[in-house]
Amino acid sequence: MKIDTIRHSLAHIMAYAVQEMYPGTHFGIGPAIENGFYYDFTLPSEASGEGGTFAPEDLPKIEKKMKELIKQNLEFKKKTVSKKEAKKIFKDQPYKLELLSEIESPKVSIYESGKFVDLCKGPHLKLTKEIPTDAFKLTKIAGAYWRGNEKNPMLQRIYGIGFRTKKELEAHLLKEQEAEKRDHRVLGQKLELFLMDEEVGSGLPLWLPKGAVMCRLIENYLYKELTAQGYYWVVTPHIAKLDLWKTSGHWDLYRENMYSPIKIDEEEYMLKPMNCPFHVKIYQSKIRSYKDLPLKLAELGTVYRYEKSGVLHGLTRVRGFTQDDAHIICEPNQLSEEVTKLLKSGLKMLKTFGFKDYEIYLSTRPEKYAGTLKSWEKATNSLKYVLNKLKLKYQTDPGGGVFYGPKIDIKIKDSLGRPWQCTTIQIDFNLPERFKMTYIDKKGKKQEPMMIHRALLGSIERFIGVLLEHYAGSLPLWLAPVQIWVIPVGARHEKYASQVAKELAEVNLRVEVKNENETVSKKIREGEIQKIPYLLVVGDKEIKAKSVRVRSKNKDLGIMKINKFLKKCSR
């Protein structure tokens, strides 16, 4: 039996339990999701005794009721009824009636489980005895707009997790506990990297000094790597006239992700959701020859995209973010070679940051798209060719492409095995046509170039969030904003501590002397909380031996000469 079938059945049993405990409840939908299930409800105000809202302490009670229902060995009965009959069955359920009104078929399927009836296609288990009672748990309550539309009523959603065995459930709960410890939002505050301020606005992070250093370290790495690969760096504005976004097609095909126009001197401007139209304009600033291609334009450009408040999440889902963005304009016969280079470069970069496990997806044409079917087929086949040539395993994501072309996405897996999308390589045959981009070929004739959008690390904000959770805040030495604390034992050791710090700083190590009037043990404890890679304690012994006592990751590594410590840092 499929695990999704168990989870879907659990959603129905949870709804049945709520129906029994809170008569008069209105039911939304209850699907299986990754690792579990949920169901959306509207409680009558008199049902719960708490103004029509669930409370965390209600979850164990609902769980208990679910187990009682499961032990009754109820049957999941599927029936096909007419829409007219279904409307009678769900006459007191407004959300079900709304769903029914949109079904074109004269007949619909329903499922009965004891006294609970749901509008549902299934599948479900045959009997509730097939549900293991020790392998599920209700986890949280959240608000959810009906059908995800903020103009609709807010429902209450109860989430649950479900597995085949108790062992799998316990393993998942342990993993969730570990994930909570690694939450980048908590680490960001604890390590003094970034903050969110409601007066500034949701989804707009403020980088603190240490966080700004981390951003700069990643940006410097990208600058060095991409410059060596032949990219030219550009800088573009944060706003542009609405006309530019109309020409690019974003206004017609991407408007739901853009903010409202701003009026300046009677003309309408838009905050940029993308950098690409600006790069096109830079390309068009002079006549281009085939000898200029491929032309690679890179920018660490900040873009702004509308996100609903309910989906914002620390650094990994924000409204303003800096992209590791670049566009490659090339001849059609150069496309496969450039995509090959990009894939190799992207995988190399991810490995540098400590990500070795990943999944690759080929995303194809969505329902809303620009261009012709022929151009989509040709572009998609080019991406398939490269993936097969490099012998990379990949999955197809049907309809997952952006409106202007198919794409390859790389989802890295962190130390807990969770997938994160970072690298994306997208073919665009929309902008070259819309902006009438050309180059002069070998025969002196004008031709339309191909364009590749690519982000190898993705959003810098998102990537830092993923890094923090992957390493649980204990970053590799080269990425740590502060690499070393030098801790003098007493006031008479401060001069030597400063000398050590100066020597380390001369070889570009980021070091601080901790000469506050506090005990050494307190400073060490604080350094370990701050995830400082190396803590160097200096006292009488160390001064006499011209050395330092080294601590790293809560371990005393003993006394080392400065030169030996420097060699350790350079590994």
Side-chain angles (χ1 to χ4, degrees):
M1 101 193 47
K2 290 185 177 180
I3 187 63
D4 279 354
T5 305
I6 295 175
R7 289 167 179 162
H8 192 186
S9 300
L10 276 165
H12 276 225
I13 293 300
M14 177 172 69
Y16 188 5
V18 169
Q19 178 179 278
E20 292 288 290
M21 296 171 71
Y22 308 101
T25 295
H26 290 159
F27 297 92
I29 58 171
I33 56 174
E34 185 180 6
N35 297 321
F37 55 94
Y38 71 79
Y39 214 112
D40 293 338
F41 308 96
T42 296
L43 286 178
S45 58
E46 69 275 13
S48 66
E50 297 293 335
T53 58
F54 289 115
E57 55 267 27
D58 293 327
L59 296 186
K61 298 173 188 174
I62 297 170
E63 258 186 56
K64 183 181 178 183
K65 186 66 178 178
M66 288 173 69
K67 289 176 182 179
E68 289 173 6
L69 293 170
I70 290 168
K71 287 176 183 176
Q72 291 177 24
N73 199 21
L74 302 168
E75 184 180 353
F76 288 95
K77 297 178 184 177
K78 183 177 183 179
K79 289 184 179 180
T80 301
V81 299
S82 67
K83 277 181 69 173
K84 187 177 179 181
E85 189 178 348
K87 285 178 181 177
K88 288 181 182 177
I89 293 169
F90 298 109
K91 61 181 173 37
D92 298 322
Q93 294 293 332
Y95 304 121
K96 301 297 181 184
L97 290 174
E98 182 179 326
L99 295 173
L100 271 170
S101 69
E102 296 173 7
I103 297 173
E104 294 180 3
S105 172
K107 294 192 174 183
V108 296
S109 66
I110 62 172
Y111 269 87
E112 292 181 356
S113 313
K115 296 177 184 177
F116 180 71
V117 184
D118 207 353
L119 180 67
C120 182
K121 291 180 181 178
H124 282 285
L125 303 171
K126 288 184 179 180
L127 297 165
T128 55
K129 70 177 182 181
E130 297 176 65
I131 300 174
T133 55
D134 59 356
F136 75 89
K137 182 177 178 62
L138 301 186
T139 54
K140 64 178 180 178
I141 303 161
Y145 289 110
W146 169 235
R147 308 187 82 171
N149 189 332
E150 58 192 6
K151 294 179 182 178
N152 288 337
M154 174 72 78
L155 281 65
Q156 293 179 79
R157 178 173 293 177
I158 297 181
Y159 284 97
I161 52 176
F163 298 89
R164 288 191 177 89
T165 65
K166 183 180 179 182
K167 187 177 179 182
E168 287 178 312
L169 173 67
E170 290 173 343
H172 178 81
L173 290 172
L174 282 172
K175 188 175 175 180
E176 287 291 300
Q177 288 173 14
E178 183 60 30
E180 282 182 25
K181 292 178 193 173
R182 293 167 177 261
D183 190 326
H184 74 276
R185 295 168 297 177
V186 176
L187 290 169
Q189 285 191 327
K190 188 188 292 185
L191 305 182
E192 298 177 0
L193 298 172
F194 69 92
L195 61 85
M196 299 289 186
D197 188 287
E198 281 305 310
E199 196 169 0
V200 172
S202 301
L204 300 169
L206 297 175
W207 290 103
L208 301 174
K210 289 202 290 184
V213 169
M214 194 174 174
C215 288
R216 184 52 57 90
L217 289 169
I218 294 172
E219 289 170 1
N220 287 347
Y221 168 81
L222 286 168
Y223 185 84
K224 183 179 177 182
E225 282 288 316
L226 298 182
T227 302
Q229 292 175 28
Y231 284 80
Y232 293 98
W233 289 90
V234 297
V235 178
T236 62
H238 292 246
I239 63 172
K241 285 183 180 180
L242 177 57
D243 289 346
L244 181 72
W245 308 107
K246 287 181 177 179
T247 302
S248 69
H250 288 91
W251 183 244
D252 291 329
L253 298 164
Y254 199 71
R255 194 183 307 184
E256 65 270 18
N257 300 103
M258 299 170 71
Y259 290 97
S260 300
I262 308 162
K263 214 160 197 182
I264 304 174
D265 296 335
E266 300 308 311
E267 291 192 280
E268 290 186 306
Y269 285 73
M270 299 290 300
L271 278 168
K272 66 175 177 180
M274 307 269 188
N275 300 302
C276 35
F278 297 102
H279 292 194
V280 170
K281 287 296 181 182
I282 290 170
Y283 175 84
Q284 291 180 313
S285 63
K286 66 179 185 178
I287 296 171
R288 304 288 179 176
S289 158
Y290 72 93
K291 293 181 181 179
D292 300 319
L293 306 183
L295 179 66
K296 304 177 182 181
L297 300 176
E299 178 177 15
L300 290 164
T302 302
V303 297
Y304 305 88
R305 297 180 188 171
Y306 173 67
E307 297 281 5
K308 293 178 181 177
S309 57
V311 300
L312 297 174
H313 185 84
L315 296 176
T316 57
R317 198 73 179 263
V318 291
R319 287 175 171 154
F321 55 92
T322 302
Q323 279 187 312
D324 151 35
D325 203 5
H327 296 90
I328 299 169
I329 298 107
C330 62
E331 294 185 85
N333 61 9
Q334 295 172 326
L335 183 66
S336 295
E337 182 183 354
E338 292 307 314
V339 173
T340 301
K341 289 178 184 176
L342 286 171
L343 274 169
K344 287 181 177 178
S345 177
L347 293 172
K348 175 192 168 189
M349 283 189 180
L350 294 174
K351 188 176 180 181
T352 298
F353 284 92
F355 298 104
K356 298 174 185 177
D357 193 8
Y358 54 84
E359 292 177 342
I360 299 175
Y361 291 82
L362 172 63
S363 300
T364 60
R365 178 171 50 84
E367 288 183 20
K368 202 174 180 181
Y369 66 93
T372 64
L373 290 174
K374 186 177 179 181
S375 57
W376 271 87
E377 184 179 357
K378 188 176 180 180
T380 304
N381 287 338
S382 294
L383 297 181
K384 284 181 182 177
Y385 169 78
V386 173
L387 289 167
N388 292 328
K389 177 185 170 186
L390 294 176
K391 297 179 180 177
L392 293 170
K393 291 182 180 178
Y394 68 92
Q395 301 174 48
T396 301
D397 179 12
V402 283
F403 74 86
Y404 49 74
K407 61 175 181 166
I408 293 172
D409 291 327
I410 300 176
K411 293 184 181 181
I412 55 176
K413 287 189 177 179
D414 66 13
S415 53
L416 294 180
R418 299 171 301 178
W420 300 91
Q421 184 183 321
C422 291
T423 304
T424 185
I425 300 165
Q426 307 169 357
I427 293 179
D428 185 349
F429 35 75
N430 172 54
L431 290 185
E433 181 182 342
R434 282 180 169 270
F435 282 94
K436 296 179 172 54
M437 295 170 68
T438 61
Y439 69 96
I440 308 301
D441 69 10
K442 291 178 183 179
K443 295 179 181 179
K445 294 182 179 180
K446 284 186 177 181
Q447 301 290 348
E448 185 177 281
M450 295 290 289
M451 188 171 183
I452 306 170
H453 302 249
R454 74 102 192 99
L456 299 180
L457 301 184
S459 147
I460 300 300
E461 287 78 2
R462 180 183 177 85
F463 193 68
I464 287 178
V466 174
L467 279 172
L468 289 173
E469 296 197 5
H470 179 60
Y471 288 109
S474 296
L475 297 161
L477 183 66
W478 74 280
L479 274 174
V482 179
Q483 297 170 307
I484 301 161
W485 276 6
V486 184
I487 302 172
V489 172
R492 67 180 184 275
H493 309 116
E494 288 178 9
K495 183 178 178 181
Y496 179 67
S498 296
Q499 290 172 357
V500 170
K502 184 180 178 183
E503 191 173 342
L504 298 176
E506 284 174 353
V507 291
N508 297 318
L509 288 167
R510 295 179 292 280
V511 56
E512 293 180 2
V513 176
K514 305 304 289 180
N515 52 17
E516 295 89 348
N517 187 25
E518 293 172 345
T519 64
V520 171
S521 59
K522 187 175 180 181
K523 291 175 187 177
I524 289 172
R525 188 163 60 252
E526 179 61 23
E528 289 169 348
I529 290 170
Q530 288 288 309
K531 312 284 187 182
I532 306 300
Y534 288 109
L535 305 174
L536 308 183
V537 180
V538 293
D540 292 336
K541 287 183 181 179
E542 289 74 28
I543 292 174
K544 188 175 181 181
K546 295 182 180 179
S547 60
V548 291
R549 178 171 287 278
V550 183
R551 286 188 64 86
S552 181
K553 296 181 180 178
N554 303 338
K555 291 181 181 178
D556 186 346
L557 304 183
I559 293 177
M560 291 184 196
K561 295 286 187 182
I562 301 294
N563 286 342
K564 184 179 178 182
F565 174 69
L566 286 173
K567 285 180 182 177
K568 187 175 185 64
C569 291
S570 64
R571 287 174 192 164

